[in-house]
């Protein structure tokens, strides 16, 4: 076999970084920065703000349901490209929208595109990397989310300053153009598996696969997917409560300017770049269950700090902790599915546990928006999120050990 100076798996990782930059980073997390201007320009209430976010998650949930069939039919490369194209069209439509109903429909489509791009992209990481490098590779791909948050934190406030109440429209238009460019980039460089390039997965194949240490029959596999799914549900139900509403909290409840809130949100992006990479690589060393538990503990502290409203400095620490942990769970989960359930089941199993995640993130922001409308604050929602992530830390430690723990 011909030796290469750079294994094509790293090209997959670099391409995946930009896929995640677009399909989740721009399509979902930039919404947090655009939200205050959209609320003011369209006269949206707190609960409508939450329902727009939930529409995206409903679309993502539909994509998760359809993805296993479409991955088999279209293969990952084609499905990623189709998902990104759907997102670009939806973003362009949102930029021209005049009311709540049309934005809900279009943001639902953007959510579907996000699922169609994200799920096969993370499955490709499993195909291209052996277990010893899988967590690190998944973390590098997911770092694209953080880069997009940094981008949105700096660019969106400047568009608002330049164009006033219409700045959010220019924001969505710019995001649509970027996503369209990334669509072509991904279509050109992604490959469905190492065999297409005459290669083996990157890394040393273990003498004994982690999944071989765990009994596998249909019932045991179902139980394992349920346990992983519950953890992913907890993550989904909590992380986007903070992610959707923290900028609005800073502006409405702490009196921050849009620029200062954008700077704080860009901190989330900066620290989140290291989130998946750091915790993913750590989980390669200490095991998936300990890695998951540690991330949930960090998130719990962040949500408690935000919920107690102890002042701007404590809120800043909360934002930093959130950024350090925000994308670690998906990175570890992508690796854990391959470790616990085996390579042959990785794509379908990841789609299955992502159903739980999608359901969690569907109900989380909508519920938080309703609570905020009733109470006039998001503090109660942040404290409920903290209780759930603390439970997740305990549940993670009950997962079975592999040869890495």
């Amino acid at each position: 076999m011909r030796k290469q100076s750079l294994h094509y798996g790293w090209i997959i990782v670099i391409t995946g970084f930009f896929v995640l930059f677009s399909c989740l980073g721009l399509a979902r997390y930039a919404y947090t920065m655009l939200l205050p201007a959209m609320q003011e320009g369209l006269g949206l209430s707190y609960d409508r703000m939450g329902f727009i976010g939930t529409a995206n998650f409903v679309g993502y949930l539909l994509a998760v349901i359809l993805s296993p069939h479409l991955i088999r039919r279209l293969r990952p490369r084609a499905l990623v490209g189709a998902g990104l194209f759907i997102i670009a069209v939806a973003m362009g439509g949102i930029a021209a929208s005049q009311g709540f109903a049309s934005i809900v429909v279009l943001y639902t489509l953007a959510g579907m595109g996000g699922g169609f791009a994200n799920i096969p992209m993370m499955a490709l990481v499993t195909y291209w990397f052996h277990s010893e490098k899988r967590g690190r590779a998944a973390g590098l791909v997911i770092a694209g989310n953080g880069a997009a948050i940094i981008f949105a934190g700096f660019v969106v406030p400047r568009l608002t300053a330049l164009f006033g109440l219409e700045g959010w429209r220019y924001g969505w238009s710019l995001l649509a153009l970027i996503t369209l460019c990334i669509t072509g980039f991904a279509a050109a460089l992604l490959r469905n598996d190492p065999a297409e390039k005459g290669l083996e997965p990157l890394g040393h194949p273990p003498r004994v696969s982690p999944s071989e240490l765990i009994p596998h029959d249909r019932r045991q596999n179902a139980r394992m997917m349920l346990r992983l799914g519950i953890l992913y549900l907890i993550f989904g139900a909590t992380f986007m409560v903070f992610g959707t509403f923290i900028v609005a909290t800073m502006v409405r409840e702490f009196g921050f300017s849009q620029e200062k809130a954008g700077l704080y949100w860009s901190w989330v992006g900066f620290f989140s770049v290291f989130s998946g990479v750091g915790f993913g690589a750590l989980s390669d060393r200490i095991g998936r269950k300990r890695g998951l538990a540690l991330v949930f503990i960090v998130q719990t502290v962040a949500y408690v700090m935000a919920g107690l409203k102890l002042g701007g400095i404590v809120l800043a620490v909360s934002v930093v902790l959130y950024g350090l942990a925000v994308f670690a769970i998906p990175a570890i989960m992508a690796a854990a599915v391959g470790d616990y359930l085996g390579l042959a089941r990785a794509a379908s199993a990841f789609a299955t546990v992502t159903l739980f995640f999608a359901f969690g993130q569907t109900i989380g922001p909508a519920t938080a928006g309703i609570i905020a409308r009733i109470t006039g604050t998001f503090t109660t929602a942040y404290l409920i999120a903290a209780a759930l992530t603390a439970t997740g830390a305990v549940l993670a430690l009950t997962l079975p050990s592999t040869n890495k723990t």
Side-chain angles (χ1 to χ4, degrees):
M1 186 179 295
R2 182 170 56 93
K3 296 185 74 173
Q4 295 181 335
S5 58
L6 179 68
H7 191 282
Y8 202 82
W10 295 119
I11 303 299
I12 298 297
V13 165
I14 292 168
T15 307
F17 175 95
F18 287 102
V19 170
L20 271 290
F21 178 93
S22 179
C23 77
L24 296 184
L26 297 184
R28 179 179 298 171
Y29 303 117
Y31 173 66
T32 301
M33 280 306 307
L34 293 161
L35 193 57
M38 290 178 67
Q39 181 188 21
E40 188 173 354
L42 297 174
L44 300 174
S45 62
Y46 273 138
D47 53 343
R48 284 199 165 191
M49 290 159 58
F51 284 127
I52 290 173
T54 296
N56 184 267
F57 307 144
V58 169
Y60 191 88
L61 178 60
L62 293 173
V64 171
I65 294 171
L66 296 172
S67 285
H69 170 72
L70 292 176
I71 288 173
R72 289 192 297 270
R73 187 176 182 85
L74 299 178
R75 303 299 303 280
R77 179 185 181 186
L79 188 56
V80 169
L84 290 173
F85 183 75
I86 291 170
I87 293 169
V89 172
M91 285 176 167
I94 291 172
S97 293
Q98 299 299 320
F100 171 73
S102 60
I103 291 176
V104 166
V105 172
L106 289 165
Y107 211 36
T108 301
L109 288 175
M112 291 185 69
F116 289 147
N118 178 53
I119 293 171
M121 188 63 246
M122 297 311 297
L124 284 177
V125 173
T126 302
Y127 298 153
W128 277 89
F129 291 85
H130 283 301
S131 178
E132 65 162 347
K133 294 185 180 295
R134 200 172 286 155
R136 183 180 302 127
L140 287 167
V141 170
I142 290 172
N145 290 329
I149 291 174
I150 295 172
F151 177 83
F154 280 101
V155 171
V156 171
R158 285 156 180 77
L159 291 175
T160 303
L162 281 173
F163 300 106
L165 291 181
E166 296 297 300
W168 64 271
R169 298 187 185 277
Y170 289 93
W172 282 116
S173 297
L174 176 61
L175 302 188
L177 179 61
I178 293 171
T179 300
L180 195 60
C181 293
I182 292 174
T183 302
F185 177 73
L189 293 179
L190 287 180
R191 296 295 184 270
N192 290 311
D193 56 60
E196 291 189 9
K197 301 291 288 186
L199 298 169
E200 295 291 330
L202 185 58
H204 297 98
R207 297 176 188 173
V208 179
S209 171
S211 66
E212 293 179 26
L213 299 175
I214 301 168
H216 289 291
D217 60 32
R218 183 170 298 179
R219 181 176 298 179
Q220 289 164 325
N221 285 337
R223 287 176 180 171
M224 178 55 65
M225 282 193 285
L226 177 62
R227 296 172 73 177
L228 294 175
I230 290 172
L231 292 173
Y232 221 8
L233 184 149
I234 291 172
F235 170 69
T238 56
F239 92 111
M240 276 309 292
V241 171
F242 192 103
T244 300
F245 295 115
I246 192 60
V247 171
T249 299
M250 287 187 278
V251 172
R252 309 294 181 204
E253 299 185 31
F254 283 79
F256 288 10
S257 67
Q258 183 75 20
E259 290 75 18
K260 186 176 181 180
L263 175 63
Y264 273 42
W265 185 242
S266 70
W267 290 3
V268 172
F270 174 77
F271 287 106
S272 70
V273 169
F274 309 100
S275 170
V277 179
F279 280 104
L282 182 63
S283 78
D284 288 339
R285 296 179 63 86
I286 69 173
R288 310 306 178 196
K289 71 175 187 178
R290 292 191 182 100
L292 289 168
L294 183 59
V295 176
F296 277 126
I297 290 169
V298 174
Q299 289 180 323
T300 299
V301 175
Y303 301 151
V304 168
M305 285 182 165
L308 293 180
K309 285 184 86 170
L310 298 175
I313 294 176
V314 175
L315 183 65
V317 175
S318 172
V319 168
V320 170
L321 290 176
Y322 176 79
L324 284 171
V326 62
F327 299 132
I329 297 290
I332 299 174
M333 191 63 68
V337 165
D339 284 359
Y340 284 123
L341 295 165
L343 187 61
R345 291 178 290 268
S348 61
F350 185 71
T352 300
V353 299
T354 303
L355 276 172
F356 289 82
F357 166 79
F359 177 73
Q361 69 172 6
T362 299
I363 63 175
T367 304
I370 293 170
I371 292 172
R373 180 169 59 86
I374 294 171
T375 64
T377 179
F378 288 105
T379 56
T380 302
Y382 294 143
L383 293 175
I384 292 172
L388 288 171
T389 51
T391 302
V394 174
L395 293 177
L397 291 174
T398 68
L399 290 171
S401 296
T402 68
N403 63 332
K404 289 187 175 294
T405 58

